[in-house]
Every structure is written in C-alpha cells, then in structure tokens.
Amino acid sequence: MSNETKNGCLIIACGALAKEFLAVRAANGWSENQLAVTCLPAIWHNRPEKIPEGVRAKIRWGRKRFKEIFVLYGDCGTGGVLDEVLREEGVERIEGPHCYDFFAGHAVFEGMMEEELGTLFLTDYITRHFDRLIWQGMGLDRHPELRDAYFGHYRRVVYLAQVDDPALTARAEDAAKRLDLAFERRFTGYGELATFMKKAAGTAKQD
C-alpha cells in the first residue's frame, strides 16, 4: 500500500480508555480517517506481560494502513518492557506510568501521593466497573474478610473524574464506603490524554 492511500493517524489504546478517546475525538471534530483507534483488552491489566507484544502486533498491522501511529498506554505494569518494544518499533506513547498520572497531570498526581501514600484511585472506567473489577474480581463479595488483606494499608479513595456526572460520583463514593475508606473527588477532565490526542491529530493534518 502506498503512502498516498494510507489513512492519517492510528492510536493504539487500552480498552479502558476507549470511551474517553471517542469523547475527545468527537469534542474536537476529528474524523475517524484523521484519528482512528484500535484497542487491546482492558482486562490485560491483570496480565501485563501480554501488553508489549500485543501493542507490537497492532503497530505492525497499523503500518500497512496508517501514516502515523501513537500509543495510548502507560507502562501499566510491564516493568519497562512496553517502552523497549516502542523504542524498537520507533513509536511514541503518552508519558506516564498509568492513566491516573496522565488524567491528573504528573505534578498533581505526585502531589496527591505525597499527601497520602495510601490512596486508591478510581477513574470513570473503574467506577463504572467497580463491582466486576474489584468487588467481585477480588472476591470481596464472597470473602469480605479479604478487605483488610487487600486494602488495610489504604486510607482514602480519590475519584479522578473525567466527566461531571453526579451518578458516577455517587457510585465512587459508595465504593469508598464499601471499602471503609475516606472519599475525595477531583475533577480532572481528560487531562494529558486530550493533549496527547491533539498532538497526534496535528501530525495527521500535516501529512
């Protein structure tokens, strides 16, 4: 396929960020041809060893179809292996170890950790799927005594809200109560995710 027949820019993203990606794209009026997305399963956060080679496969698939490729993943528990793959493939990713960092902004996130190291962070995605990912996924529905083993060293839940949704805020607060932790909400919007997408869309415009 010649460069002239390729589409603009492909974003390879974690499935947990798909809704946010689509919201930012729609808000900026970018077309799918200008800024396309392909996602890897969000559940791979439980198997981070799958992420680097999964991303590599998507890069090699995308090179046949797109002029530019960017990766919307933090390190996400790969221990630097994802960055090694991206160096080998010559592809850039969003900065930061995880989505909490790039939603809040690095300096703000570091400040929150300095305030209270025992902080459990929620995003919109985690809040929506709290029961499946945490309450049921970690067996707390069947064995509530595991709460202390998993969360005994935590002191608070901080909900990093991407959208201003009272229903989601109520669900996040309920999650904190169920874990017997203090609750805070901080509205972040899409943070550095939106900035990164604008950069990617800009490369597509330049071609």
Side-chain angles (χ1 to χ4, degrees), residues 2-23:
S2 70
N3 197 53
E4 288 74 15
T5 59
K6 290 182 181 180
N7 290 323
C9 181
L10 173 68
I11 301 286
I12 300 168
C14 170
L17 301 173
K19 187 178 184 71
E20 287 70 25
F21 174 93
L22 294 174

Side-chain angles (χ1 to χ4, degrees), residues 133-206:
L133 295 175
I134 297 178
W135 198 251
Q136 297 167 5
M138 300 181 77
L140 293 167
D141 58 329
R142 303 179 300 280
H143 301 284
E145 69 275 9
L146 291 175
R147 182 267 172 205
D148 289 344
Y150 291 141
F151 300 105
H153 63 291
Y154 286 93
R155 297 291 176 266
R156 66 175 180 175
V157 166
V158 173
Y159 170 38
L160 305 175
Q162 282 72 72
V163 297
D164 194 8
D165 184 337
L168 270 182
T169 298
R171 290 173 67 174
E173 188 169 10
D174 178 67
K177 288 179 181 177
R178 290 158 72 184
L179 295 174
D180 195 23
L181 298 172
F183 177 73
E184 294 181 29
R185 176 188 182 272
R186 302 201 186 192
F187 180 76
T188 66
Y190 299 110
E192 293 171 8
L193 181 150
T195 303
F196 182 77
M197 286 180 61
K198 287 177 182 177
K199 176 181 178 180
T203 67
K205 286 182 179 179
Q206 292 168 9

Side-chain angles (χ1 to χ4, degrees), residues 2 22 24 31 46 79 81 85 91 100 117 137 140 168:
S2 70
L22 294 174
V24 173
S31 69
N46 294 338
V81 179
V85 166
V91 173
Y100 315 129
L117 188 60
L140 293 167
L168 270 182

Side-chain angles (χ1 to χ4, degrees), residues 5-188:
T5 59
K6 290 182 181 180
N7 290 323
C9 181
L10 173 68
I11 301 286
I12 300 168
C14 170
L17 301 173
K19 187 178 184 71
E20 287 70 25
F21 174 93
L22 294 174
V24 173
R25 187 174 69 181
N28 285 275
W30 299 320
S31 69
E32 185 175 353
N33 284 338
Q34 184 179 350
L35 203 62
V37 66
T38 183
C39 292
L40 294 169
I43 196 65
W44 281 10
H45 281 286
N46 294 338
R47 296 289 304 277
E49 71 276 7
K50 290 187 172 186
I51 294 172
E53 290 305 319
V55 170
R56 190 196 301 274
K58 289 286 190 180
I59 290 170
R60 293 184 176 180
W61 171 86
R63 280 208 180 102
K64 302 173 184 177
R65 297 163 176 83
F66 296 89
K67 297 176 183 178
E68 300 287 344
I69 298 175
F70 292 85
V71 170
L72 190 54
Y73 256 100
D75 176 76
C76 296
T78 70
V81 179
L82 175 59
D83 284 334
E84 291 176 10
V85 166
L86 297 181
R87 280 193 293 270
E88 291 168 4
E89 298 292 337
V91 173
E92 178 183 348
R93 74 168 176 89
I94 191 170
E95 293 184 7
H98 40 61
C99 59
Y100 315 129
D101 188 281
F102 54 73
F103 278 139
H106 182 71
V108 172
F109 178 79
E110 288 295 308
M112 286 188 287
M113 292 302 292
E114 288 178 8
E115 290 172 9
E116 177 54 74
L117 188 60
T119 300
L120 176 67
F121 292 96
L122 301 180
T123 62
D124 287 2
Y125 177 86
I126 298 173
T127 299
R128 289 189 189 97
H129 302 283
F130 177 82
D131 280 345
R132 178 172 61 85
L133 295 175
I134 297 178
W135 198 251
Q136 297 167 5
M138 300 181 77
L140 293 167
D141 58 329
R142 303 179 300 280
H143 301 284
E145 69 275 9
L146 291 175
R147 182 267 172 205
D148 289 344
Y150 291 141
F151 300 105
H153 63 291
Y154 286 93
R155 297 291 176 266
R156 66 175 180 175
V157 166
V158 173
Y159 170 38
L160 305 175
Q162 282 72 72
V163 297
D164 194 8
D165 184 337
L168 270 182
T169 298
R171 290 173 67 174
E173 188 169 10
D174 178 67
K177 288 179 181 177
R178 290 158 72 184
L179 295 174
D180 195 23
L181 298 172
F183 177 73
E184 294 181 29
R185 176 188 182 272
R186 302 201 186 192
F187 180 76
T188 66

